[in-house]
């Protein structure tokens, strides 16, 4: 069992709830009749029950309306960069460039058709969400709702005149969303849903079957829908962790409650960054993410960066190193990161300030 004094702010794979890890441990030892979940066929009725239940809970927790399908696939969000374009782009699509993940999605789409970038924040190393105008004659508009590396987030469900596609890998299940505004949502599990291995895809059925190209079988959403996500062997253990995460969210009181908790954690941490004389954030205030809190040292204190890393580590704080393309620090405060962990980080920042400013 994880030591109580460790506070994990890893960006992904990220912290998972203790309950989820315990339930998974149990299933590894004995899923059914002494058989481990690692050695059971995905065609058994015991497993199919878990698949069905996971889908049902997903629908319930995210309030997914009729007309949408949910599938669970391997290959990560990165495979979706390609599958989205393959399945939805007839000729041209538009994209919002808000960072490395968005750029990777753009790169894959460019191999399939014409891509128009309708906004980019590259000029300031993606520290804000750019302005944009959505044209009405494109096949879809692709956004990344939460930019894991830079700590920016689109936190409202935007209106789009064309089908809206969203990579929600690092903020799915962090707040209630209006699914009806989206045509396709995808998210790999390892940030906010469970263990690495599975990607959750929510698709409005009516947008499929409209492209002229021949889609390779394994990349065809319709094939996976038809086969209930079991065209080939699904990532069984990761789906199990998603199942347990959904149970945990339900027990906590659902996404409205989760949102309140997340906003409170983010509020406390940003307040400390704004107050503390050693730290600052370069992220535009209105675009600050409630999932990944990025911060750096005030120029004057830059030489203390390694000292702070070491100091934080001594205090049980792990996973706060910023992405190599940004530097500084990043505290990922996904659903499963407790408010106690946030308080521990804040205390550490305060104590560090005390040590260095007299
Ligand atoms: C982590 C991440 C990805 C990549 O996910 P993989 O599962 O590693 O392919 C894509 N988009 C966003 C927003 C992410 O945070």
């Amino acid at each position: 069992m994880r030591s109580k004094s460790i506070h994990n702010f890893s960006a992904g794979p990220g912290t998972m709830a203790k309950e989820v890890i315990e339930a998974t441990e149990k299933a590894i030892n004995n899923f059914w009749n002494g058989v481990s979940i690692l050695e059971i066929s995905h065609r058994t009725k015991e497993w199919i029950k878990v698949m069905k239940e996971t889908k049902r809970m997903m629908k319930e927790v995210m309030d997914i309306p009729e007309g949408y399908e949910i599938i669970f696939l391997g290959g990560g969000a990165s495979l979706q960069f390609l599958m989205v374009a393959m399945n939805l782009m007839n000729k041209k699509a538009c994209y919002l460039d808000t960072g490395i993940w968005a750029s990777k999605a753009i790169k894959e789409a460019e191999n399939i058709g014409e891509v128009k970038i309708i906004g980019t924040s590259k000029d300031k190393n993606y520290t804000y969400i750019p302005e944009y105008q959505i044209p009405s004659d494109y096949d879809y508009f692709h956004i990344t709702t939460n930019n894991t590396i830079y700590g920016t987030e689109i936190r409202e469900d935007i209106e789009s005149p064309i089908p809206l596609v969203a990579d929600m890998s690092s903020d799915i299940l962090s707040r209630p969303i209006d699914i009806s505004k989206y045509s396709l949502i995808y998210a790999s599990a390892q940030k906010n849903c469970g263990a690495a291995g599975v990607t959750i895809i929510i698709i409005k059925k009516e947008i499929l079957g409209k492209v002229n190209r021949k889609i390779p079988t394994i990349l065809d959403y319709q094939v996976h829908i038809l086969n209930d996500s079991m065209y080939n062997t699904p990532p069984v253990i990761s789906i199990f962790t998603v199942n347990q995460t959904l149970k945990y969210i339900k027990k906590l009181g659902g996404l409205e409650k989760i949102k309140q908790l997340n906003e409170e954690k983010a509020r406390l941490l940003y307040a400390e960054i704004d107050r503390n004389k050693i730290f600052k954030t370069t992220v535009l205030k209105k675009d600050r993410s409630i999932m990944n809190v990025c911060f750096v040292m005030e120029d004057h204190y830059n030489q203390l960066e390694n000292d702070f890393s070491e100091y934080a580590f001594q205090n049980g704080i792990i996973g706060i190193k910023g992405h190599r393309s940004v530097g500084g620090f990043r505290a990922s405060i996904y659903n499963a990161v407790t408010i106690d962990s946030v308080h521990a980080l804040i205390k550490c920042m305060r104590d560090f300030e005390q040590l260095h400013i007299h």
Side-chain angles (χ1 to χ4, degrees), residues 75-79 81 101 144 146-148 167-170 186 188 190-191 199:
S78 301
L79 179 61
F81 299 161
W101 297 122
T144 312
N146 185 63
N147 299 286
T148 325
D167 175 358
M168 291 196 184
S169 290
S170 50
Y186 62 91
S188 46
Q190 70 272 20
K191 273 77 183 233
T199 307

Side-chain angles (χ1 to χ4, degrees), residues 106-332:
I106 290 166
K107 186 167 162 244
E108 292 305 318
E110 281 172 343
N111 287 323
I112 307 295
E114 181 194 330
V115 171
K116 186 182 170 82
I117 298 169
I118 62 169
T120 176
S121 45
K122 196 173 179 181
D123 61 337
K124 290 188 178 157
N125 202 22
Y126 301 114
T127 47
Y128 68 102
I129 301 291
E131 298 285 325
Y132 54 88
Q133 280 274 318
I134 312 169
S136 58
D137 56 343
Y138 279 71
D139 295 328
Y140 62 86
F141 174 41
H142 180 283
I143 58 173
T144 312
T145 49
N146 185 63
N147 299 286
T148 325
I149 294 171
Y150 315 89
T152 64
E153 189 175 14
I154 299 170
R155 285 190 54 218
E156 77 274 32
D157 304 312
I158 64 172
E159 298 287 346
S160 172
I162 53 177
L164 182 62
V165 174
D167 175 358
M168 291 196 184
S169 290
S170 50
D171 66 348
I172 193 171
L173 298 178
S174 68
R175 62 175 177 93
I177 54 173
D178 179 355
I179 301 278
S180 70
K181 296 247 164 68
Y182 302 85
S183 289
L184 193 147
I185 292 168
Y186 62 91
S188 46
Q190 70 272 20
K191 273 77 183 233
N192 217 14
C193 295
V198 69
T199 307
I200 297 142
I201 302 137
I202 303 164
I203 316 171
K204 194 178 198 170
K205 255 188 300 190
E206 65 176 43
I207 62 157
L208 295 174
K210 292 187 175 165
V211 292
N212 299 320
R213 81 178 53 80
K214 171 111 187 64
I215 303 170
T217 318
I218 191 79
L219 301 180
D220 189 343
Y221 286 131
Q222 285 181 310
V223 168
H224 293 291
I225 290 170
L226 221 62
N227 288 281
D228 266 327
S229 306
M230 300 218 284
Y231 170 72
N232 62 331
T233 316
V236 170
I237 192 79
S238 346
I239 295 173
F240 184 84
T241 63
V242 173
N243 176 293
Q244 293 301 316
T245 299
L246 289 164
K247 283 194 176 135
Y248 161 78
I249 290 175
K250 278 176 60 160
K251 209 179 87 192
L252 267 182
L255 292 185
E256 197 52 63
K257 178 74 189 175
I258 292 273
K259 177 186 172 202
Q260 283 167 25
L261 294 169
N262 285 337
E263 285 179 348
E264 179 62 4
K265 286 185 292 181
R267 190 188 65 75
L268 289 167
L269 192 47
Y270 282 117
E272 175 59 18
I273 293 165
D274 291 340
R275 186 209 62 78
N276 197 302
K277 293 192 180 64
I278 293 184
F279 301 99
K280 66 174 179 185
T281 176
T282 54
V283 177
L284 189 66
K285 195 160 188 173
K286 73 174 180 48
D287 297 329
R288 287 175 175 181
S289 166
I290 59 163
M291 295 276 96
N292 308 96
V293 178
C294 293
F295 54 102
V296 292
M297 298 205 140
E298 291 282 4
D299 299 340
H300 186 58
Y301 293 105
N302 256 335
Q303 78 285 0
L304 292 176
E305 207 167 291
N306 287 337
D307 288 359
F308 181 68
S309 292
E310 186 52 34
Y311 186 75
F313 185 73
Q314 299 297 332
N315 284 281
I317 287 163
I318 62 168
I320 57 163
K321 194 170 167 47
H323 189 271
R324 60 192 179 282
S325 63
V326 175
F329 303 96
R330 167 176 54 173
S332 298

Side-chain angles (χ1 to χ4, degrees), residues 12-58:
T15 290
M16 285 166 56
K18 190 165 127 281
E19 287 89 333
V20 175
I21 292 175
E22 281 168 1
T24 308
E25 185 181 8
K26 222 174 118 204
I28 286 174
N29 278 312
N30 175 10
F31 173 61
W32 167 81
N33 261 357
V35 180
S36 165
I37 193 162
L38 300 175
E39 55 183 1
I40 199 164
S41 163
H42 59 293
R43 305 287 174 196
T44 55
K45 68 174 191 303
E46 287 72 27
W47 172 252
I48 290 173
K49 211 176 106 196
V50 175
M51 280 298 267
K52 287 203 165 125
E53 184 186 58
T54 313
K55 229 160 108 169
R56 201 186 65 234
M57 283 193 295
M58 201 87 200

